[in-house]
Amino acid sequence: MVFFPISIFFACLFSIVINNIYDFDIDKISNKLRPLITKDIELNTYKKVGTLSLFLSFFYSSLLGFEWLFFNILFTGLYFIYSSPPLRLKRIPFLSKFILSSASIIMIYSGYFLIESNLKIDFDLVWPLFISFGLILNFIDLKDTEGDSKEGIKTLPIIFGEWWGKRIIGLFFLVSYPLSFLWFKKIFPVSPYFLPLFALAGLIQYCLIVRDNYDERPIFYLHLTGLSFFLIWHIF
């Protein structure tokens, strides 16, 4: 319970550092407040932070056992090939977000394995998660549309245009939230009265996606707050 979240923290930090290094030209246009762009940190120092984070992540995972180290290697490896040359799979529409979806599912099951000594993967639960994550994660490209366009990275807002791109991604949220209720129902004794709340959350997310003054932060706030509330309600 101590080493596991520490290893996740450093794995995420490494992935963020790598992504920011290779997205430098994009961030100069779309994310001008990131530390490399503002020169709050030098590139060599940033690379050292990334290298140290990777080492510490693997170190703390190895203290837990081979299984956690294996999960962590898969997680960081997927993020690396998503962000970094020569593959840099973020350039490939649709496929790129399913790479991130796979990484998310790996982290979910590594947490499950922390509690359950015998890991049993129910593929009836994995596929809805995999598809939902792969679809809704396209929203992270909305703030980078101008920078991605300059770098030739094909994302949904670039392929379909910003107006249609927002509505397509918003539709993914609108559909995925009610469907996630069915997923939760398989693992928790969920009251059917929660279905309208899930649908309402999906509708609010849709509205946050398609609005003119787009800001991704409320999307994260709503998702994490709603999920936390639901889990706390279930526990108590």
Side-chain angles (χ1 to χ4, degrees), residues 156-157 160-169:
L156 294 187
F160 296 101
E162 186 174 356
W163 193 90
W164 275 110
K166 281 184 175 181
R167 280 148 184 83
I168 292 171
I169 295 171

Side-chain angles (χ1 to χ4, degrees), residues 204-220:
I204 295 173
Q205 292 286 47
Y206 176 89
C207 295
L208 292 174
I209 290 285
V210 302
R211 64 178 181 161
D212 292 333
N213 298 320
Y214 174 76
D215 185 352
E216 69 176 6
R217 288 173 295 182
I219 298 170
F220 281 109

Side-chain angles (χ1 to χ4, degrees), residues 7 10 35 39 41 63 68-69 86 91 106 113 173 186 208 235:
S7 68
F10 283 114
K39 297 183 179 180
I41 186 171
L63 294 179
W68 285 278
L69 178 60
R91 297 174 296 184
I106 287 170
F113 187 69
F173 276 88
K186 287 188 175 183
L208 292 174
I235 292 171

Side-chain angles (χ1 to χ4, degrees), residues 78 81-82 88-102 134 137-138 140-141 153-156:
L78 286 172
I81 64 174
Y82 170 82
R88 194 160 162 77
L89 295 179
K90 71 183 302 178
R91 297 174 296 184
I92 304 176
F94 291 105
L95 173 63
S96 60
K97 298 308 176 288
F98 284 104
I99 296 295
L100 298 184
S101 176
S102 299
L137 281 170
N138 283 280
I140 67 176
D141 295 324
I153 296 178
K154 300 298 183 181
T155 61
L156 294 187

